[in-house]
């Protein structure tokens, strides 16, 4: 367990395949005994006769830390750390308190299997397994996310067999598995017994090259025995015209359809040896570094990727096939074309699906030694000779298992493991074994060992320099020349933690502009939370610290584009829109639509186009338009169909509330023409909107409710201002509390992070805003004038102890009896250079639960996350307006609102932007939101909390990476302008 070797007694790694050779799946309920340390180990548990009647039952596969949850961990609890090892860094030693699971299962020895070897296969055991069959020690293994096989031919017997496995949470190998994820243990992937028929190959390596210039595929299949010598085999691929062809010979195949992630053509066939028929699915493609670019089949790729960990909030790192399908379907539905298997090889079935449905894959080795960074990289296993066998073993098991997947285009040496000789050795081995793919590793910025220059979280200016080849030099001239010859990938960017990621568009624009920038992978796919239960018996999503871990990294584990239950976050919708592979541009002037086909391989024949014309969110007319046939990379401009032009000239159809104006918008949408395995025909791929002139016509405004109110001191239209304080006190009969300027928001995860620009100060925006005192402003009335037509007031707004204050001037006027107009000018002091928001916050009666609005929607949006929202008319109750981030934070802003009504049974207030406002409505205050650690701690306080903002700050990605881009920051004076009205039950 403290050996730095990778294991003992295992068989050489090999590729996985399905065949007619029999096998026995051993998954199921196994006997389980847990011990927190060595004192509790069971002497002799491996003996077949050992009495395990009192033992528990545990499912295999599973991780034991999640057993008993959501109520309470039955054995040792899960623990989360990012970089720091949760034990002293004293390699190869691990804690005496080493949680250990002992497993036993009995099964009947298979009968009637053909002659040959019997192999016991573990797909994944975390972290150290010692294995006995029928009391005989087979060996031990490490490499948690890597397969391990043991030869059991001589030990297996007819009748009852007893398999015993001792699994330790900590081993020397734990130093190699410091990925940013939960520490969980056990036999978490399947276990099976295989027959390897005598004379059948031990390993198979499929070579399926594609020569783009001639359209010719070349298929060779190397079948080898345990000694590496060739095994004769015949290929049968009906669709390739191969019948009984010699596998070892190169078969030129003119006219094959190549495999790409956009066109995942697989040819089904078999490799037949004397004793086995192996099923193969072959995809032809050539991956190469050419002209400084990552090319497949002669075409440079643009990767629109995500980093995917394997996680499920209930089963942890044990993932069902259904969940894998769901992940890939969701990726494809959201225009994602690439996945990095961060930071270990996934369940092998995931890669089958990538081949089948089409995703470019970076398959990453199960290696991370990040915690050595906290010790100045002293004794880093990446460079210590004693660890070289273990590192090479990991790389070999990665490549050997997965080498026959066409979806894999890059092998990654691992993640965050510093630099060192052992990494170089891994890279050399990969190149010697598989020259058909490129090598990736991010941790060495000089990039000497690799074929792509890869970085994480580089900011927009630096990425632009890299795109322009004007980046700063690598360590030596030689390395620099090499690196400049390489394409660039952001293997991680746009940290999707909480509200965000902001600023995706700016990266995508760079990827589109500079060929060297071949895309990136958002960090990360899924919030890795765990379903747990609170004291009230309600379930919630737990993160680091929730299981009492003494050392942990809090909610840094919930930073995905999907919420833990795999519902898409607003960030995923934004990403989908930003990376859409079809770009649509509507020009109302020339009545034309430009279509850019941004696929790398697909033409547009698989897509349809349709249009929709709306008046203030109400449908006027809709129809289809012909999608021009465009090859990948081509563009065309087509005229509007006559029906659209005619419809655009129709008189207004929709209605709009009193005091508001109509707007006419065209939407054009590209959709799937036919069903795909991952979505049905009609699925939206891309869309765009444009405003068109609103034809003059009869006023379609709804009648205003008659204002029976009498003008009296302190009233402006329907609004009552308290003549003593100058504050808004009521709108009609609706009491208003605490209506004041607000310059603060409940910090987002990104507000808690340190933006690149604050590296010197080490301060997050949250720290800076709290230091300014924005969360505890006091309001001092300086001047108040209450007239019949106009009420003006001026306040000094600043925190205790500071001489920094904003001057806030309110001016209430009314042009119509039913309406009040507010202009609120906020002049911040020089000491408050950047603000999170500027607006008016107020509390209204809690019964106003319904928001109708015309503006951007349906989802939330912030200035740097506004791509996925469209102009339209939307409605929601309060609950539907909250975004359930795992860690409570600012959320739910509805952006560029023209008007919004907040009502109860149709009666309430109407806000009209002059011209645009942002609106947030919650059943709790921003202060309560900022206090809560989990959403279940938030309870409605009886009020409706309304924020009407003139400016909202961007969100950025400072949780890990650059902060908000300057264009999305609020600086300087801001004026909020809006009109207020009542809406009646009849007009709602
Ligand atoms: C980077 C890691 O590679 C990834 O595993 C994850 O921890 C991510 O950060 C943050 O969520 S490493 C970081 C030092 C940039």
């Amino acid at each position: 367990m403290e050996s730095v070797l990778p294991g003992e007694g295992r068989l050489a790694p090999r590729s996985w395949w399905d065949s007619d050779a029999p096998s026995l799946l051993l998954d199921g309920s196994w006997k389980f005994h847990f011990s927190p340390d060595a004192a509790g180990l069971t002497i002799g548990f491996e003996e077949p006769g050992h009495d395990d009647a009192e033992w528990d039952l545990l499912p295999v596969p599973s991780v034991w830390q999640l057993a008993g949850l959501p109520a309470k961990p039955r054995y040792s609890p899960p623990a989360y750390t990012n970089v720091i090892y949760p034990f002293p860094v004293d390699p190869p030693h691990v804690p005496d308190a080493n949680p250990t699971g002992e497993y036993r299962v009995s099964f009947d020895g298979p009968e009637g299997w053909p002659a040959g070897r019997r192999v016991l296969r573990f797909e994944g055991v975390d972290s150290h397994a010692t294995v006995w069959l029928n009391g005989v020690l087979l060996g031990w293994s490490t490499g948690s996310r890597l397969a391990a096989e043991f030869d059991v031919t001589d030990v297996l017997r007819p009748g009852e067999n007893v398999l015993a496995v001792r699994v330790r949470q900590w081993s020397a190998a734990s130093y190699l598995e410091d990925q940013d994820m939960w520490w969980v243990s056990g036999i978490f992937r399947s276990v099976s017994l295989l027959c390897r028929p005598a004379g059948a190959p031990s390993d198979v390596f499929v070579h399926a090259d594609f020569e783009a210039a001639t359209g010719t595929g070349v298929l060779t299949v190397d079948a080898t025995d345990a000694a590496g010598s060739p095994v004769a085999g015949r290929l049968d691929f009906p669709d390739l015209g191969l019948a009984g062809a010699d596998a070892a010979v190169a078969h030129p195949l003119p006219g094959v359809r190549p495999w790409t992630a956009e066109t995942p053509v697989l040819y089904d066939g078999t490799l037949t040896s004397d004793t086995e028929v192996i099923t193969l699915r072959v995809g032809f493609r050539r991956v190469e570094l050419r002209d400084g670019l990552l090319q497949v089949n002669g075409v440079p790729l643009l990767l629109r990727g995500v980093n995917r960990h394997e996680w499920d909030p209930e089963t942890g790192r044990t993932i069902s096939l259904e969940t894998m399908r769901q992940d890939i379907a969701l990726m494809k539905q959201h225009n994602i074309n690439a996945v990095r298997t961060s930071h270990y090889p996934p369940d092998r079935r995931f890669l089958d699906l990538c081949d089948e449905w089409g995703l470019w894959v970076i398959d990453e080795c199960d290696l991370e030694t990040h915690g050595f960074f906290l010790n100045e990289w002293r004794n880093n296993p990446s460079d210590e000779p004693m660890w070289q066998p273990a590192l090479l073993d990991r790389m070999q098991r990665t490549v050997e298992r997965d080498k026959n997947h066409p979806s894999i285009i890059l092998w990654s040496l691992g993640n965050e493991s510093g630099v060192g000789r052992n990494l170089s050795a891994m890279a050399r081995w990969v190149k010697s074994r598989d020259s058909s793919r490129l090598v990736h590793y991010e941790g060495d910025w000089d990039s000497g060992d690799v074929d792509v220059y890869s970085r994480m979280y580089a900011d927009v200016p630096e990425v632009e320099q890299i795109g322009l080849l004007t980046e700063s030099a690598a360590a030596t001239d030689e390395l620099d020349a090499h690196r400049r010859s390489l394409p660039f990938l952001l293997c991680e960017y746009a940290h999707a933690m909480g509200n965000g990621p902001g600023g995706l568009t700016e990266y995508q624009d760079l990827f589109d502009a500079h060929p060297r920038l071949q895309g990136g992978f958002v960090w990360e796919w899924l919030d890795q939370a765990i379903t747990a239960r609170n004291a009230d018996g309600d379930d919630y999503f737990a993160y680091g610290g929730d299981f009492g871990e003494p050392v942990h990294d809090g909610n840094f584990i919930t930073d995905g584009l999907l919420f833990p239950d795999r519902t898409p976050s607003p960030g995923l919708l934004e990403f989908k829109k930003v990376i859409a592979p079809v770009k649509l541009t509507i020009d109302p002037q020339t009545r034309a639509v430009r279509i850019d086909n941004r696929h790398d391989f697909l033409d547009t024949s698989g897509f349809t186009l349709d249009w929709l014309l709306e008046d203030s969110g109400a449908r006027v007319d809709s129809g289809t338009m012909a999608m021009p046939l465009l090859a990948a990379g081509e563009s065309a401009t087509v005229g509007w169909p006559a029906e659209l032009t005619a419809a655009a000239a129709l008189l207004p159809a929709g209605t709009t509330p009193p005091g508001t104006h109509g707007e006419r918008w065209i939407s054009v949408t590209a959709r799937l023409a036919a069903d795909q395995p991952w979505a049905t025909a009609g699925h939206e791929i891309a869309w765009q909107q444009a405003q068109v002139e609103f034809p003059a016509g009869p006023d379609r405004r709804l009648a205003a409710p008659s204002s029976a109110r009498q003008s009296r001191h302190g009233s402006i239209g329907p609004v009552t201002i308290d003549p003593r304080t100058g504050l808004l006190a009521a709108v009609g009969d609706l009491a208003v509390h605490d209506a004041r300027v607000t310059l603060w928001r409940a910090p987002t995860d990104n507000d808690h992070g340190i933006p690149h620009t604050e590296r010197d100060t080490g301060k997050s925006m949250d720290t800076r805003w709290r230091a300014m005192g924005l969360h505890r402003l006091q309001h001092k009335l300086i001047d108040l004038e209450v007239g019949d037509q106009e009420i003006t007031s001026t306040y000094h707004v600043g925190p205790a102890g500071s001489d920094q204050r904003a001057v806030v001037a309110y001016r209430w006027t009314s042009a119509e009896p039913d309406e009040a107009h507010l202009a609120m000018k906020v002049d911040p002091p020089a000491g408050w250079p950047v603000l999170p928001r500027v607006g008016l916050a107020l509390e209204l009666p809690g019964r106003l639960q319904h928001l109708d609005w015309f503006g951007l929607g349906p989802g939330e949006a912030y200035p740097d996350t506004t791509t996925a929202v469209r102009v339209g008319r939307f409605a929601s109750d309060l609950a539907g307006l909250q975004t359930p981030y795992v860690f409570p934070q600012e959320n739910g802003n509805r952006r560029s609102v023209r008007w919004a009504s907040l009502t109860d049974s149709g009666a309430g207030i109407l806000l009209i932007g002059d011209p645009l406002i942002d609106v947030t409505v919650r059943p709790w205050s921003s202060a309560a939101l900022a206090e809560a650690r989990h959403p279940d701690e938030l309870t409605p306080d009886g009020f409706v909390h309304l924020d009407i903002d003139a400016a909202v700050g961007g969100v950025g990605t400072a949780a890990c990476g650059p902060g908000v881009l300057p264009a999305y920051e609020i600086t300087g004076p801001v004026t909020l302008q809006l009109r207020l009205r009542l809406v009646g039950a009849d007009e709602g």
Side-chain angles (χ1 to χ4, degrees):
M1 153 183 92
E2 294 193 340
S3 165
V4 297
L5 294 177
E8 261 180 299
R10 288 184 330 221
L11 292 169
R14 63 186 184 98
S15 64
W16 170 259
W17 60 76
D18 287 315
S19 81
D20 65 347
S23 64
L24 179 67
L25 189 64
L26 298 178
D27 293 358
S29 241
W30 290 26
K31 286 287 186 159
F32 182 74
H33 172 261
F34 175 75
S35 170
D37 51 32
L41 298 186
T42 316
I43 312 250
F45 92 104
E46 70 276 15
E47 293 305 330
H50 179 80
D51 181 4
D52 59 15
E54 300 293 305
W55 282 26
D56 294 347
L57 287 173
L58 188 76
V60 167
S62 74
V63 294
W64 76 62
Q65 284 85 352
L66 269 59
L69 286 171
K72 186 166 165 289
R74 190 178 307 142
Y75 308 110
S76 54
Y80 165 58
T81 64
N82 171 11
V83 179
I84 191 170
Y85 288 102
F87 47 78
V89 179
D90 181 17
H93 302 300
V94 295
D96 288 342
N98 191 355
T100 301
E102 292 164 339
Y103 294 75
R104 285 170 55 91
V105 69
S106 50
F107 62 92
D108 281 342
E111 282 172 40
W113 281 14
R117 290 199 299 171
R118 309 292 185 248
V119 171
L120 184 65
R121 181 178 173 97
F122 293 86
E123 302 286 349
V125 184
D126 195 327
S127 83
H128 181 291
T130 313
V131 187
W132 295 262
L133 183 63
N134 300 326
V136 178
L137 176 66
L138 301 175
W140 59 273
S141 182
T142 56
S144 298
R145 272 68 57 175
L146 300 164
E149 289 185 334
F150 297 92
D151 189 338
V152 295
T153 317
D154 299 334
V155 189
L156 194 70
R157 55 196 187 202
E160 195 190 41
N161 286 265
V162 177
L163 173 62
V165 188
R166 180 175 279 144
V167 180
R168 284 170 164 110
Q169 170 150 22
W170 308 124
S171 65
S174 302
Y175 287 100
L176 309 180
E177 297 182 355
D178 189 30
Q179 291 96 338
D180 176 7
M181 60 192 194
W182 291 96
W183 295 97
V184 287
S185 338
I187 305 175
F188 74 98
R189 289 184 188 158
S190 287
V191 184
S192 51
L193 181 71
L194 310 174
C195 170
R196 297 303 314 132
S202 286
D203 194 13
V204 169
F205 197 167
V206 176
H207 306 278
D209 188 24
F210 180 73
E211 165 77 52
T214 59
T216 302
V218 180
L219 180 63
T220 319
V221 179
D222 290 332
T224 44
D225 65 14
S229 307
V231 174
R234 299 181 306 282
L235 296 177
D236 288 280
F237 281 80
D239 295 340
L240 293 172
L242 291 179
D246 184 351
V249 168
H251 297 283
L253 300 161
V256 298
R257 294 165 61 212
W259 189 98
T260 75
E262 294 172 6
T263 57
V265 181
L266 294 172
Y267 289 92
D268 288 325
T270 53
L271 167 71
T272 306
S273 65
D274 289 346
T275 50
E276 186 181 25
V277 182
I278 293 175
T279 307
L280 297 178
R281 307 198 81 183
V282 172
F284 291 88
R285 87 276 179 283
R286 180 181 294 177
V287 183
E288 57 190 334
L289 180 61
R290 212 170 80 191
D291 305 330
L293 297 175
L294 162 60
Q295 306 203 13
V296 174
N297 304 339
V299 177
L301 303 185
L302 183 55
L303 301 180
R304 308 169 172 99
V306 289
N307 283 278
R308 175 180 178 269
H309 265 285
E310 299 205 299
W311 194 253
D312 176 288
E314 267 139 48
T315 60
R317 202 151 295 124
T318 301
I319 303 288
S320 70
L321 187 58
E322 212 22 68
T323 301
M324 296 176 216
R325 281 215 182 89
Q326 189 187 1
D327 274 353
I328 302 193
L330 282 166
M331 287 178 193
K332 297 283 290 184
Q333 286 165 16
H334 291 87
N335 294 330
I336 289 162
N337 71 0
V339 61
R340 172 175 177 234
T341 69
S342 54
H343 300 302
Y344 41 81
D347 186 307
R348 59 179 166 75
R349 296 169 296 171
F350 180 79
L351 297 170
D352 292 338
L353 288 168
C354 292
D355 293 344
E356 200 178 309
W357 291 2
L359 282 176
W360 306 113
V361 177
I362 301 184
D363 193 3
E364 191 150 271
C365 185
D366 190 356
L367 174 68
E368 174 158 342
T369 65
H370 208 167
F372 284 85
F373 162 74
L374 301 177
N375 298 277
E376 285 88 37
W377 291 115
R378 280 187 302 277
N379 305 317
N380 181 12
S382 299
D383 198 46
E384 293 292 321
M386 70 171 180
W387 291 97
Q388 190 169 115
L391 267 65
L392 277 174
D393 171 77
R394 282 168 186 259
M395 195 71 241
Q396 289 163 355
R397 286 156 75 194
T398 301
V399 171
E400 298 299 0
R401 189 195 71 167
D402 294 344
K403 58 185 177 280
N404 293 333
H405 289 282
S407 53
I408 297 172
I409 54 171
L410 292 155
W411 298 114
S412 178
L413 307 182
N415 185 60
E416 292 285 8
S417 299
V419 295
R421 290 165 284 181
N422 300 337
L423 289 163
S424 303
M426 290 164 82
R428 278 196 305 276
W429 179 84
V430 175
K431 284 168 185 284
S432 71
R433 176 64 174 147
D434 179 19
S435 56
S436 74
R437 296 172 173 97
L438 307 187
V439 174
H440 168 273
Y441 176 64
E442 189 274 347
D444 180 359
W445 290 6
D446 285 329
S447 306
D449 294 325
V450 295
D451 303 314
V452 291
Y453 178 24
S454 177
R455 290 279 303 280
M456 44 175 82
Y457 310 107
D459 54 27
V460 163
E462 187 182 5
V463 173
E464 180 167 34
Q465 286 183 355
I466 295 169
L468 293 165
L469 280 150
T470 57
E471 75 270 23
S472 51
T476 65
D477 288 351
E478 197 190 337
L479 286 168
D480 193 57
H482 172 65
R483 202 176 68 185
R484 278 178 207 283
S485 73
L486 302 181
F488 180 77
L489 288 181
L490 276 168
C491 71
E492 295 178 24
Y493 79 116
H495 197 252
M497 187 177 180
N499 189 338
L504 286 168
T505 309
E506 284 73 11
Y507 282 107
Q508 202 64 32
D509 288 348
L510 288 179
F511 300 161
D512 288 337
H514 304 286
R516 188 190 189 194
L517 309 179
Q518 291 195 261
F521 296 76
V522 167
W523 186 268
E524 69 177 305
W525 176 236
L526 172 76
D527 281 344
Q528 299 175 62
I530 293 177
T531 307
R533 194 158 291 164
N534 69 17
D536 299 332
D538 296 324
D539 288 357
Y540 71 100
F541 289 123
Y543 48 75
D546 286 336
F547 298 100
E549 306 102 290
V551 179
H552 66 82
D553 287 294
N555 66 317
F556 207 62
I557 189 68
T558 53
D559 52 1
L561 293 170
L562 293 179
F563 290 113
D565 62 3
R566 289 188 153 72
T567 51
S569 74
L572 180 57
L573 305 184
E574 180 77 2
F575 190 45
K576 172 185 178 175
K577 180 70 162 55
V578 169
I579 61 178
V582 173
K583 188 181 171 203
L584 303 166
T585 317
I586 308 169
D587 185 349
Q589 247 58 59
T590 57
R591 297 204 184 107
V593 181
R594 181 188 155 98
I595 300 119
D596 290 301
N597 180 9
R598 302 197 157 189
H599 287 93
D600 293 327
F601 300 92
L602 264 189
D603 67 31
T604 49
S605 59
F607 305 100
T608 61
L609 275 185
D610 54 58
W611 58 269
L612 168 70
L613 182 76
E614 288 172 304
D615 271 1
S616 310
R619 178 184 168 279
V620 178
D621 203 356
S622 58
T624 58
M625 52 194 288
M627 171 67 98
L629 182 60
L630 300 173
E634 284 184 357
S635 306
T637 301
V638 297
W640 288 358
E643 301 79 23
L644 172 54
T645 305
L650 286 176
L651 288 182
T655 53
T656 180
T660 69
H661 294 287
E663 287 181 24
R664 179 161 280 193
W665 285 79
I666 293 176
S667 306
V668 175
T669 306
R671 300 178 194 277
L672 280 184
D675 288 352
Q676 297 293 330
W678 42 271
T680 51
H683 168 78
E684 174 194 289
I685 297 289
W687 58 270
Q688 203 48 259
Q689 283 188 303
Q691 191 173 5
V692 288
E693 217 168 289
F694 199 73
D699 194 352
R700 308 293 299 192
R701 278 186 281 184
L702 296 165
S706 59
S707 161
R709 300 174 44 77
Q710 292 198 332
S711 176
R712 55 178 175 75
H713 190 58
S715 78
I716 295 285
V719 154
T720 307
I721 306 295
D722 185 322
R724 298 155 301 181
T725 64
L727 297 177
L728 172 63
V731 184
D733 294 333
L734 295 170
V736 175
H737 293 278
D738 235 6
R740 297 172 196 274
V741 66
T742 180
L743 306 177
W744 189 69
R745 68 184 179 199
T748 64
D749 287 320
N750 288 315
D751 293 340
H752 284 299
I754 297 161
H756 285 180
T757 47
E758 293 295 316
R759 272 177 183 142
D760 295 345
T761 69
K763 285 185 181 157
S764 69
M765 293 314 291
D766 176 49
T767 305
R768 291 178 60 193
W769 290 331
R770 282 183 200 271
M772 293 174 204
L774 299 184
H775 60 307
R776 52 182 176 87
L777 296 175
Q778 299 183 14
H779 304 252
K780 170 66 191 166
L781 179 62
I782 298 297
D783 182 51
L784 174 63
E785 283 175 38
V786 182
D788 285 346
Q789 308 297 322
E790 180 178 299
I791 298 177
T792 57
S793 53
T794 303
Y795 299 78
H796 284 178
V797 176
S802 170
D803 65 358
Q804 297 293 302
R805 60 180 168 267
V807 178
V808 182
Y810 298 72
R811 179 166 180 261
W812 290 96
T813 54
S814 177
E816 293 181 47
D818 297 329
E819 190 176 277
H821 184 274
L822 168 66
M824 180 183 82
K825 179 163 188 255
V826 181
D827 217 340
W832 300 353
V834 178
L835 299 170
R837 67 151 33 100
V838 177
L840 182 71
L842 47 138
E843 291 166 14
L844 289 161
R847 63 175 194 277
L848 300 177
Q849 287 280 320
H850 189 84
L851 190 76
D852 263 285
W853 76 100
F854 180 61
L856 292 177
E860 70 179 27
Y862 291 78
D864 51 355
T865 57
T866 26
T867 316
V869 282
R870 54 187 296 271
V871 178
R873 184 161 173 178
F874 306 98
S876 174
D877 62 11
L878 237 58
L881 295 167
Q882 317 305 313
T883 310
Y885 293 114
V886 172
F887 187 88
Q889 56 195 281
E890 163 67 30
N891 72 85
N893 181 58
R894 264 54 186 186
R895 189 154 173 77
S896 301
V897 168
R898 282 66 167 172
W899 60 261
S901 66
L902 189 56
T903 55
D904 168 31
S905 311
I909 66 167
L910 175 67
L911 317 168
I912 306 167
D914 180 17
L916 301 175
I917 48 177
D918 278 19
V919 173
T920 311
V921 198
R922 315 177 214 283
W924 38 71
S925 64
S926 284
L929 190 58
E931 280 298 304
R933 318 310 287 166
H934 296 95
D936 59 303
E937 296 158 26
L938 287 163
T939 42
D941 64 9
F943 289 103
V944 166
H945 298 260
L946 170 65
D947 276 290
I948 311 164
D949 292 311
V952 161
V955 288
T957 59
C960 183
V964 175
L965 291 167
Y968 307 121
E969 286 184 333
I970 309 173
T971 55
V974 174
T975 300
L976 171 72
Q977 296 204 96
L978 83 150
R979 292 178 283 141
L980 276 171
R981 285 177 168 254
L982 287 171
V983 276
D986 355 326
E987 285 77 26

